[in-house]
Amino acid sequence: MKEKINRIIRIIEKQIGKTKPVVSFSSKYKTIITTVLSARTKDETTFKVSKKLFSKYKSFRELAKAKTEDIEKQIYPVGFYKTKAKNIKKLAEIIVKKYNSKVPSNFKELITLPGVGRKTANIVLSLCFKKPTIAVDTHVHRISNRIGVVKTKKPEQTEKELKNKIDKKHWIKINELFVKFGQRICKPLRPNCKICKIKKYCNFYLNDLKADANS
Ligand code: SF4
């Protein structure tokens, strides 16, 4: 299995080509805030909104001082913008007060921050601190189960399984790679199996073929 999944990763990399990071990581401040904003929101909306937000609030300190209603105005129309406005203000306050304006570099501390779950913590660890980890979002979870390299119900189970099956040297790039692959080829509703280069390894595709042959 390990050899198979490593081959799949190489093929996807070749098919997708060089990718740009899914979130802006020009600074740790932008990375963590953008990732919190991105939950259940389209990438285009997240980018537009975070650009607007960062042009007004340039640091955790400025964001911590902002009024929640002003943050809401900046980040609308991201999904759950009222909750996210409260979360990022609180997160900024904690980072300023408790961590001297520095993003913490370990998982345990990161997940105590408002709005930061496993996925966000892992994205921050990999992008900001180059720590090997796999950030599992809906794309990574869906694609891994479709291909059949894991059989899991929850993203945290997928993370554990993938870590057992993928060479550590690939961990950091999995999120970015699968997100791009999920946006361009293995789309949620209509996966474009015709052009997909990993179809001979994919359970979803092979089961479809079997079903066609039996019909
Ligand atoms: S063959 Fe289809 S379902 Fe399988 S990974 Fe490729 S696009 Fe996704």
Side-chain angles (χ1 to χ4, degrees):
M1 174 60 87
K2 213 166 186 178
E3 202 186 309
K4 179 181 159 185
I5 189 162
N6 285 318
R7 194 173 310 141
I8 288 171
I9 291 166
R10 282 198 298 276
I11 298 170
I12 295 178
E13 271 185 302
K14 224 171 163 186
Q15 183 163 28
I16 294 300
K18 286 242 179 283
T19 60
K20 279 195 180 156
V22 176
V23 297
S24 162
F25 67 112
S26 58
S27 71
K28 294 180 177 71
Y29 164 64
K30 288 183 180 177
T31 302
I32 192 166
I33 299 296
T34 306
T35 312
V36 171
L37 292 177
S38 73
R40 302 197 186 190
T41 302
K42 285 186 175 169
D43 283 348
E44 310 89 74
T45 311
T46 306
F47 290 134
K48 222 164 98 188
V49 157
S50 48
K51 210 172 159 194
K52 196 170 149 205
L53 182 78
F54 298 141
S55 69
K56 183 150 188 198
Y57 308 113
K58 296 184 175 18
S59 64
F60 287 120
R61 201 166 284 278
E62 289 183 16
L63 194 57
K65 282 185 196 153
K67 284 189 181 151
T68 308
E69 308 81 72
D70 290 340
I71 301 175
E72 283 176 9
K73 276 183 206 152
Q74 298 300 315
I75 66 170
Y76 181 83
V78 296
F80 307 98
Y81 71 98
K82 282 182 183 263
T83 306
K84 286 179 183 172
K86 271 188 220 136
N87 280 342
I88 60 173
K89 177 175 164 62
K90 189 82 195 144
L91 179 153
E93 286 169 359
I94 295 171
I95 290 190
V96 170
K97 281 189 198 141
K98 192 171 173 189
Y99 298 103
N100 196 20
S101 292
K102 303 257 187 312
V103 175
S105 63
N106 70 73
F107 186 83
K108 273 191 184 163
E109 283 177 313
L110 279 168
I111 53 164
T112 64
L113 297 170
V116 176
R118 288 192 76 87
K119 183 198 80 175
T120 301
N122 281 327
I123 286 184
V124 170
L125 288 177
S126 58
L127 293 182
C128 298
F129 300 100
K130 305 288 172 237
K131 292 196 177 176
T133 188
I134 301 178
V136 175
D137 61 5
T138 52
H139 290 290
V140 179
H141 183 60
R142 179 186 73 253
I143 294 166
S144 305
N145 275 283
R146 266 186 186 166
I147 300 169
V149 291
V150 301
K151 212 172 169 193
T152 53
K153 295 239 171 338
K154 293 181 178 166
E156 50 267 39
Q157 297 167 332
T158 304
E159 183 190 327
K160 201 174 161 202
E161 291 271 310
L162 289 178
K163 281 180 171 168
N164 284 333
K165 291 172 180 169
I166 297 177
D167 285 344
K168 217 171 185 171
K169 65 177 182 190
H170 293 309
W171 287 8
I172 282 185
K173 63 186 169 201
I174 293 297
N175 181 271
E176 196 180 312
L177 196 64
F178 278 33
V179 168
K180 295 290 174 198
F181 183 63
Q183 288 168 337
R184 296 183 202 163
I185 297 169
C186 192
K187 297 177 186 181
L189 295 180
R190 282 192 208 98
N192 196 347
C193 303
K194 265 191 188 164
I195 62 157
C196 179
K197 303 273 190 216
I198 58 163
K199 51 177 168 279
K200 71 173 177 182
Y201 301 108
C202 175
N203 281 358
F204 179 92
Y205 179 78
L206 297 173
N207 289 338
D208 246 20
L209 275 188
K210 265 189 222 157
D212 275 355
N214 292 332
S215 63

